[in-house]
Amino acid sequence: MEKLSIEAIIKKIEHEERFYAVSDDYSFTLKIDSYVHYVCSAIHDGHQFRTELWENCLHTEYERWYEEDPATKAMIATHPIVIAGCDSRFEYDLNRPPEEAIFETAWGKQLWKQPLPEAMKAKSLQKHTNFYKVVSALIKKIEEKYNGCIVFDMHSYNWQRWNREVPTWNIGTSNIDNKRFGTLVEAWRNRLSQIQLPHKIAQTAKVNDTFQGNGYFLKYITHSFKNTLVLATEIAKIYGDEYHQVIYPEVVEAVADQLETHIPEQASNFLKYI
């Protein structure tokens, strides 16, 4: 891995160079082993929280971890193109538009003891801007090569906070072209439902059950690129203990091993629709 400026990352994409880099502000990583027609993302995988924010933050380190998507990058790490956030969504949320990306309250609790100075907000929002500059350049390049792109937008959610039975997997589709891609969505739901997990973990997959796919990442790409499908894919945190901040690596590995087959097969099916 190398450290690169945003400009250098974009230039490498434009020249179709293979690389693995962290942005020079350490806010995200991008790996491109080959320029295939699909991208895997884990934008809430990050847990970094810069030190100048610590004293002013009312949420604990555990409360931040609880609302992040730990290990989602590990589930997709072997695929040819992987982009992942490094910073906590409590600094700025890549899945919200810029004007909403810096929280004042988070999950019903005030986040800051004192309002953040504008200079601190600007530092975080520049990272948000830089990330989307790279996303735009990446999807543009793939659409130029293949006339389309499919993005596997990986997230996780806290299943134990729900007072009803919830699925292991949820696909959010409210902001995609379901008339065009509905068959692909159902194929993806079916694939996810077949993933086998250790410890007799229930294996269910539903569409728009717990989340509907309202994230900014999906909306930004969908509105900017007419031949790109984003599959907002949430896994319940059955791969860990969300109340004790423990990750079960054997479950993460089982997910990753099976997605290694399912994702490229789903991406291959996508080519029939563009």
Side-chain angles (χ1 to χ4, degrees), residues 1 9 13 19-23 28-32 39-40 73 81-84 134 138:
M1 180 185 286
I9 291 172
I13 292 170
F19 65 97
Y20 187 17
V22 61
S23 60
F28 69 92
T29 61
L30 174 59
K31 179 193 74 167
I32 303 180
V39 172
C40 294
K73 180 182 179 182
I81 304 178
V82 178
I83 189 165
V134 170
L138 177 61

Side-chain angles (χ1 to χ4, degrees), residues 42-243:
I43 63 175
H44 283 159
D45 183 77
H47 188 60
Q48 290 180 164
F49 195 66
R50 65 179 200 264
T51 54
E52 63 182 338
L53 299 173
W54 290 2
E55 186 176 343
N56 193 31
C57 185
L58 290 166
H59 285 239
T60 65
E61 186 271 340
Y62 165 72
E63 287 174 311
R64 296 195 299 272
W65 177 89
Y66 180 76
E67 301 295 352
E68 296 159 354
D69 298 346
T72 48
K73 180 182 179 182
M75 295 175 186
I76 54 172
T78 61
H79 295 275
I81 304 178
V82 178
I83 189 165
C86 298
D87 292 324
S88 172
R89 65 192 304 191
F90 282 75
E91 181 185 344
Y92 59 96
D93 193 332
L94 289 170
N95 216 23
R96 299 196 182 190
E99 62 273 15
E100 300 174 10
I102 297 179
F103 302 155
E104 294 181 5
T105 61
W107 288 271
K109 179 181 174 181
Q110 184 178 333
L111 183 54
W112 310 109
K113 296 175 186 176
Q114 301 294 330
L116 281 184
E118 291 303 314
M120 287 194 181
K121 290 183 180 180
K123 185 183 294 187
S124 295
L125 287 175
Q126 187 60 56
K127 296 179 183 181
H128 187 283
T129 297
N130 289 343
F131 177 83
Y132 278 97
K133 285 181 179 178
V134 170
V135 167
S136 182
L138 177 61
I139 304 301
K140 179 182 177 183
K141 170 56 66 177
I142 294 171
E143 277 209 352
E144 286 174 353
K145 284 182 66 65
Y146 297 101
N147 195 39
C149 176
I150 183 169
V151 179
F152 296 88
D153 176 23
M154 303 299 296
H155 295 270
S156 65
Y157 75 95
N158 298 304
W159 67 276
Q160 290 178 291
R161 67 169 22 147
W162 293 76
N163 60 5
R164 62 174 175 87
E165 186 176 342
V166 293
T168 306
W169 296 93
N170 180 86
I171 308 167
T173 68
S174 63
N175 288 283
I176 66 171
D177 186 344
N178 285 283
K179 184 176 181 180
R180 182 182 182 187
F181 296 122
T183 302
L184 272 175
V185 170
E186 173 55 24
W188 184 230
R189 188 207 61 78
N190 186 55
R191 286 183 180 279
L192 295 174
S193 72
Q194 296 175 32
I195 291 177
Q196 299 298 309
L197 299 174
H199 315 310
K200 298 181 180 179
I201 294 171
Q203 188 56 13
T204 54
K206 295 186 178 181
V207 176
N208 297 329
D209 182 90
T210 48
F211 299 92
Q212 287 70 48
N214 291 316
Y216 180 69
F217 182 72
L218 181 152
K219 289 180 178 178
Y220 175 87
I221 294 174
T222 300
H223 294 162
S224 302
F225 300 94
K226 300 308 178 186
N227 280 333
T228 294
L229 169 63
V230 182
L231 291 173
T233 304
E234 301 254 2
I235 182 172
K237 286 180 182 170
I238 43 76
Y239 61 91
D241 185 334
E242 61 198 49
Y243 290 139

